[in-house]
Amino acid sequence: MKKLPETPLGQGKADRFTSSGFILAAIGSSVGLGNMWKFPYITGMYGGAAFFLLFIICLILVGLPILLAEMTIGRGGRGNAASSLSNLVHNKNWKWLGFLMVLTAFLIMSYYGVVAGWTLQYTVDSLTGALSKPGMDFEKQFVDFAGGYWPLFWHLIVMVLVGIVVGKGISGGIEKFNKYLIPGFLVILLVLMFRSLTLPGAAEGVEFFLKPDFSALTGESALVALGHAFFSLSLGMGCMLTYGAYVEKEQSLGKATVAIGVGDLGYAFIAGLIIFPTVFSYGLEPQKGVGLAFMALPAAFSQMPLGALFGGLFFLLLAIAALTSAVSILEVPVAYAMNTWKWSRKKAAAIISTAAYVLGIPAGLSVTGVLSSWLPFGKSVFDWFDFLTSYLLMPLGGLIVTLFTGYAWKRAGEEAGLTGFWYKAWMFSLRYLAPVLILAVLLYSLFVKPV
Ligand code: PFF
């Protein structure tokens, strides 16, 4: 086997994460828009606390083993999401499967940036009071906003910012960015949780979120829980794999896995404790996705004392969550371009963030804007991006990772530092449990669930 490059990605002086910096950056990646608007809603819908329990089980049995596998491949292969795989085994064709993950990341980047842009605009609008006019129709407000051209500007700001951070590298860019933002994120989260739990009628929201309803649990709940565990941990698109290439050999990947899992779960849980009491306290409906964050919540904040401030903090929270995830997504194709085409980091970050911006424009304009009535094969461009990545490409990426680590690469246990029981349990998940369950999710989203 060829000797692996000493430096991750074989470039210049070693640019690596510190041990705490890596954990923060990985938590920053996993805690994103998914935790803040998708998790609370599906929990309420699929059985409250019973679903939460199911989610924890999926996270432990399938999510964390794949998370560990991705980080282990990255650190062992010391390359990008494609070359790390082929660096570790004789069959070089694995890099093409890995390349699929790079492509997935690029596609996700292009539309994730659009939503991140909305959060910035809503932060500014909340703080300036533009969202707290009495009698405002928040649905119309969002439809008009997303259908206009301002989102193109905010989307650009996001892509420039993310491009600059990634262009500065791992320790000087991504690690620093997360080190500043995550503690601030935590403070805002706690302030908002305190605010929402002390609102009149908050208990009803907590009950909706957490009352266990075991009768609501179905096979569908289990697949939704699994799919979300996947999305929430940023798996299946080479993100944790690429970050893993910058981790020191001394760092325990097992401990990192536990820390990232606890962080992701904790944030999702607190997000639920913010969102539901707020929505219920003002007699609003907990709607799904875009509707929850950009329509129901602004309506609640507009009626709250100091609502402009709390609304501003909430959208700032969303913006931070989105931006720390976005840098991790952009790093995947950037690392690929540096390795494969020998581009400098700055050049790769500039070109790829620009390309993702351009590709994201039709996605952004298709939500309520000029392209919203164009529905090729029944879905808007935005919905196509989401469907292809979340329901098809990410599970496929996860499958590639499980098969590679479970069957093709024989020395994964050594790199992960696992022996005995933990190694056997890890392999059991990667070889049998995870592939079967991921296939179920794939088939379900393709043939059953009309997304
Ligand atoms: N984990 C992020 C969330 O929960 O919103 C989304 C995400 C980030 C998905 C990074 C994929 C990724 F690579």
Side-chain angles (χ1 to χ4, degrees), residues 33 130 139 141-142 252 299 335 366 425 437:
L33 296 165
E139 198 166 329
Q141 158 75 21
F142 177 76
S252 159
S366 72
L437 291 175

Side-chain angles (χ1 to χ4, degrees), residues 114 152 357-367 371-372 374 381-382 385:
V114 172
L152 292 178
Y357 176 66
V358 172
L359 190 66
I361 290 175
L365 292 176
S366 72
V367 181
L371 292 181
S372 58
W374 184 47
V381 179
F382 187 93
F385 271 81

Side-chain angles (χ1 to χ4, degrees), residues 39-370:
F39 172 77
Y41 176 77
I42 55 176
T43 301
M45 188 171 153
Y46 286 100
F51 177 85
F52 191 41
L53 215 66
L54 208 61
F55 177 67
I56 296 178
I57 293 171
C58 290
L59 201 84
I60 293 174
L61 294 184
V62 179
L64 297 185
I66 299 180
L67 172 64
L68 178 59
E70 283 208 18
M71 295 187 300
T72 307
I73 298 172
R75 189 171 70 178
R78 285 276 189 242
N80 55 74
S83 67
S84 285
L85 278 79
S86 49
N87 280 348
L88 293 168
V89 290
H90 290 295
N91 187 346
K92 301 300 165 213
N93 286 323
W94 276 100
K95 72 167 180 279
W96 298 112
L97 293 175
F99 177 70
L100 200 68
M101 294 195 268
V102 179
L103 200 68
T104 308
F106 179 67
L107 287 178
I108 294 183
M109 185 69 253
S110 58
Y111 80 96
Y112 204 85
V114 172
V115 184
W118 297 346
T119 63
L120 286 184
Q121 163 95 56
Y122 267 64
T123 305
V124 173
D125 281 357
S126 299
L127 291 174
T128 56
L131 280 180
S132 36
K133 298 192 186 108
M136 210 163 161
D137 177 344
F138 286 92
E139 198 166 329
K140 183 174 178 309
Q141 158 75 21
F142 177 76
V143 169
D144 289 348
F145 158 68
Y149 293 97
W150 271 109
L152 292 178
F153 167 75
W154 291 103
H155 180 194
L156 180 68
I157 299 282
V158 166
M159 296 312 299
V160 169
L161 187 66
V162 169
I164 290 176
V165 172
V166 172
K168 281 181 177 294
I170 296 299
S171 54
I174 294 179
E175 176 164 332
K176 250 194 200 149
F177 190 62
N178 280 284
K179 252 188 190 149
Y180 286 124
L181 290 186
I182 303 271
F185 184 83
L186 189 61
V187 172
I188 300 175
L189 199 73
L190 295 176
V191 168
L192 286 175
M193 183 176 80
F194 182 73
R195 171 66 283 201
S196 67
L197 289 177
T198 50
L199 286 170
E204 203 191 326
V206 176
E207 195 179 312
F208 176 81
F209 179 40
L210 288 180
K211 192 166 153 229
D213 178 5
F214 287 98
S215 69
L217 286 188
T218 55
E220 180 170 317
S221 316
L223 294 181
V224 170
L226 186 69
H228 189 63
F230 226 77
F231 184 81
S232 191
L233 287 174
S234 309
L235 302 176
M237 37 76 67
C239 175
M240 295 301 186
L241 197 160
T242 305
Y243 270 8
Y246 304 105
V247 174
E248 298 284 3
K249 286 284 178 205
E250 293 72 37
Q251 182 149 7
S252 159
L253 292 182
K255 282 187 190 148
T257 303
V258 174
I260 298 163
V262 169
D264 188 51
L265 204 64
Y267 276 127
F269 182 67
I270 298 178
L273 289 182
I274 293 173
I275 288 166
F276 289 113
T278 306
V279 170
F280 275 83
S281 176
Y282 289 95
L284 298 159
E285 282 290 306
Q287 319 157 33
K288 193 175 172 182
V290 169
L292 180 62
F294 293 95
M295 297 171 200
L297 283 163
F301 288 123
S302 74
Q303 299 169 49
M304 192 184 279
L306 290 181
L309 174 68
F310 287 115
L313 284 178
F314 175 77
F315 283 106
L316 189 60
L317 194 70
L318 273 187
I320 296 175
L323 288 171
T324 51
S325 293
V327 291
S328 74
I329 305 175
L330 184 65
E331 176 62 23
V332 178
V334 164
Y336 180 83
M338 281 162 61
N339 248 195
T340 314
W341 303 316
K342 306 289 173 245
W343 289 359
S344 71
R345 175 175 277 283
K346 285 199 167 41
K347 175 177 166 184
I351 292 181
I352 296 171
S353 56
T354 307
Y357 176 66
V358 172
L359 190 66
I361 290 175
L365 292 176
S366 72
V367 181
T368 62
V370 285

